[in-house]
Amino acid sequence: DTAVSQTPKYLVTQMGNDKSIKCEQNLGHDTMYWYKQDSKKFLKIMFSYNNKELIINETVPNRFSPKSPDKAHLNLHINSLELGDSAVYFCASSLSGSSRNIQYFGAGTRLSVL
Amino acid sequence: AQTVTQSQPEMSVQEAETVTLSCTYDTSESNYYLFWYKQPPSRQMILVIRQEAYKQQNATENRFSVNFQKAAKSFSLKISDSQLGDTAMYFCALNSPTGNQFYFGTGTSLTVIP
């Protein structure tokens, strides 16, 4: 059973389109994250939700809108896609206040904007 | 502010040899956690090892061990008996229990040479 699953794994689309990436975790965690990894492999936090509430919102264009329908899901919707949005997007989850405090990652979604 | 610095963008090691990856960090928290994650070409982020700051004993997981120097804020990863499957990007990360954010370094690309 996959602990943190993202769909799709690959996404190729044209500039100007709107797309969504879905993320689900079955670990019982209460905190979920979205990261962007650029071509140089830098991992940059975009958003974090704790119990469906937004707690981290880094400087990200407002074309990016996360949505958390429940603790187990955190989806990322991107409007008006631009070439610079091409990257690998990772979803992750963790359990706040846990003594183990480990972050688990999904397999990533490679987004290519043409 | 909390930061994580990895000063070695690329490293290589001969198969069966030992290699050490460097990581320094900065935090004002008294309690925190440190991690090393591995990202092989498959791009899946895999937890390698974890250290709790209040524990003086260095963490060990099979061929992987850390040298945790709290006063110097240093957290290096030693890989013994390097194997071809160790070829990957390695990220050092910091988390404090008071927040749900994980801070990542810029990564070290390790190549194991046959």
Side-chain angles (χ1 to χ4, degrees), chain A residues 17-65:
Chain A
N17 283 351
D18 303 338
K19 289 293 178 186
S20 292
I21 306 172
K22 295 186 177 182
C23 180
E24 176 182 4
Q25 54 92 7
N26 62 5
L27 297 165
H29 289 169
D30 58 359
T31 307
M32 296 185 73
Y33 311 78
W34 276 110
Y35 289 88
K36 178 180 180 181
Q37 187 175 44
D38 63 21
S39 57
K40 294 183 178 179
K41 303 290 187 182
F42 295 158
L43 264 176
K44 180 182 175 185
I45 183 75
M46 299 175 70
F47 303 102
S48 175
Y49 271 73
N50 177 261
N51 285 317
K52 300 194 302 175
E53 288 191 19
L54 181 65
I55 55 171
I56 295 172
N57 185 4
E58 293 295 315
T59 306
V60 175
N62 57 15
R63 298 182 294 104
F64 290 79
S65 54

Side-chain angles (χ1 to χ4, degrees), chain B residues 3-8 20-27 32-36 51-53 55-59 65-78 92-94:
Chain B
T3 59
V4 177
T5 303
Q6 293 179 251
S7 58
Q8 305 154 314
T20 299
L21 280 56
S22 301
C23 173
T24 58
Y25 61 93
D26 192 19
T27 179
Y32 50 89
Y33 300 89
L34 295 160
F35 307 85
W36 278 98
Q51 175 81 42
E52 296 165 16
K55 287 188 177 179
Q56 291 191 341
Q57 186 173 7
N58 289 325
S65 61
V66 298
N67 183 3
F68 174 46
Q69 302 287 327
K70 191 172 184 178
K73 294 184 178 175
S74 170
F75 183 61
S76 59
L77 174 70
K78 186 171 86 171
C92 180
L94 164 73

